[in-house]
Amino acid sequence: MTASKGTTKVGFVGIGNMGRPMAANQIAGGWQLTVYDVDREKADAFAAEHGCGSAHSLAELAERSDVVVLMLPDGRIVRNVALGDGAGGDCLVRGLRAGTTIVDMSSSAPVGTRALGEDLHALGVALLDAPVSGGMKGAIAAKLSIMVGGDRALADHLDPLLATMGKRFHIGPLGSGHAVKVLNNYVSAAGLAAAAEALLVAQRFGVDGEVLIDVLNASTGRNNSTENKFKQYVLNNAYDSGFALELMVKDLKLAMDVADACEVPATLGHACLQLWEDARAWNGPNADHTEFARFVTESAASASPAKASR
């Protein structure tokens, strides 16, 4: 038996760049939503716009929900939202009933997700991890790739709710969704880095950047970044894709943590992480992740003439 729009009450925590369109698509799909954000005005404005409820505490949201969806920056915040910070503050478990499910759609550490699942299970609360890929564009269009980890029967039960946001893939046991998400972002980050370096080489050789991207997209070098980022955000110097460089670095670290835990050297992965950490230091904490390409160009320009000509 699957969750029902008419009877299943959904709480949604995190009305940010991704969470806002995701929650809006759940409402458009006919689900009863109550939203919460640490920015109370943001949650209230969303509720007024979409005709849903707005909770003024996590405990209140939990009391009004059968399933709670989380779209938050990282696993540490997810844990604090779910269980509290140990100082007696507001958190979901203050209002959750036994039998409630939490769906973590954030990019969290896979090992931390399994530990959180064990702690919630002891309280009679189930956990699914269901991180997403597709960015703001995919969130708005309800075409996200949703990587679900956890009990298959529970995932099937909540599939109608998840279906309002995109295509679902059941990956395996709890934490495996988060593992695949950060590995996906590693591959994505490596593709963007390779394309950025190739673009700079081509331009210095006298090739027009748009021509290079067109050729890559018609050839074996194409990837998500060449198709969806370079003309849209890099070549026009917009750098406003809506996904932070800091978040890409976070996901790369998590991917390498998984690789280390599995005793895989991941030589390219660690080198890629170092490059992105250098880009973060150069661009600053508020940079869009597409500004990695700007880092490649300008750091090369500041290199010695002999090194830059190699």
Side-chain angles (χ1 to χ4, degrees):
M1 184 174 179
T2 58
S4 167
K5 299 176 186 178
T7 59
T8 303
K9 297 177 181 178
V10 180
F12 196 104
V13 181
I15 308 299
N17 288 339
M18 291 290 289
R20 181 181 178 87
M22 291 166 67
N25 284 328
Q26 290 181 15
I27 294 170
W31 294 85
Q32 305 174 58
L33 245 66
T34 300
V35 298
Y36 172 87
D37 195 275
V38 67
D39 183 337
R40 181 169 168 176
E41 291 184 0
K42 183 185 293 184
D44 287 345
F46 179 91
E49 179 183 353
H50 294 278
C52 68
S54 176
H56 294 160
S57 72
L58 290 166
E60 177 192 348
L61 178 120
E63 289 171 355
R64 297 166 64 176
S65 305
D66 301 306
V67 55
V68 178
V69 177
L70 308 180
M71 191 61 187
L72 299 166
D74 58 46
R76 178 187 61 81
I77 295 173
V78 167
R79 187 174 185 86
N80 286 347
V81 163
L83 298 176
D85 59 7
D90 182 36
C91 62
L92 290 174
V93 295
R94 290 183 173 274
L96 288 174
R97 302 178 303 278
T100 305
T101 300
I102 294 175
V103 182
D104 180 15
M105 304 191 78
S106 320
S107 291
S108 301
V111 174
T113 295
R114 290 186 171 175
L116 177 60
E118 292 175 359
D119 292 338
L120 289 171
H121 179 73
L123 300 171
V125 176
L127 177 66
L128 288 178
D129 55 310
V132 302
S133 180
M136 287 179 61
K137 183 177 178 180
I140 292 168
K143 292 184 177 179
L144 294 168
S145 294
I146 304 171
M147 296 155 260
V148 185
D151 181 75
R152 182 59 185 260
L154 183 58
D156 290 344
H157 174 70
L158 293 177
D159 189 67
L161 173 65
L162 298 177
T164 64
M165 296 173 282
K167 185 175 182 179
R168 290 82 58 220
F169 300 87
H170 188 263
I171 306 300
L174 186 66
S176 58
H178 281 144
V180 169
K181 166 61 190 291
V182 296
L183 291 170
N184 171 78
N185 276 15
Y186 155 50
V187 175
S188 176
L192 191 152
E197 291 184 346
L199 175 65
L200 179 59
V201 173
Q203 289 173 326
R204 287 194 173 186
F205 197 74
V207 176
D208 181 86
E210 291 205 7
V211 171
L212 173 71
I213 297 302
D214 286 339
V215 171
L216 290 176
N217 285 336
S219 307
T220 57
R222 69 184 181 278
N223 59 45
N224 180 63
S225 293
T226 63
E227 291 181 334
N228 298 308
K229 298 176 184 178
F230 276 82
K231 284 191 176 183
Q232 296 87 339
Y233 306 114
V234 175
L235 292 174
N236 59 5
N237 297 314
Y239 302 117
D240 60 354
S241 73
F243 183 69
L245 195 155
E246 174 68 31
L247 292 179
M248 185 67 91
V249 172
K250 181 207 73 173
D251 284 354
L252 279 167
K253 285 183 176 178
L254 293 177
M256 293 304 99
D257 286 346
V258 173
D260 292 343
C262 295
E263 299 183 348
V264 175
T267 305
L268 177 61
H270 284 287
C272 184
L273 171 59
Q274 184 61 61
L275 272 175
W276 279 86
E277 287 180 327
D278 292 346
R280 177 185 58 184
W282 189 88
N283 282 293
N286 300 316
D288 188 88
H289 82 289
T290 56
E291 291 186 70
F292 180 93
R294 189 164 68 90
F295 158 74
V296 168
T297 298
E298 299 198 19
S299 60
S302 65
S304 67
K307 186 174 182 180
S309 65
R310 290 177 187 170

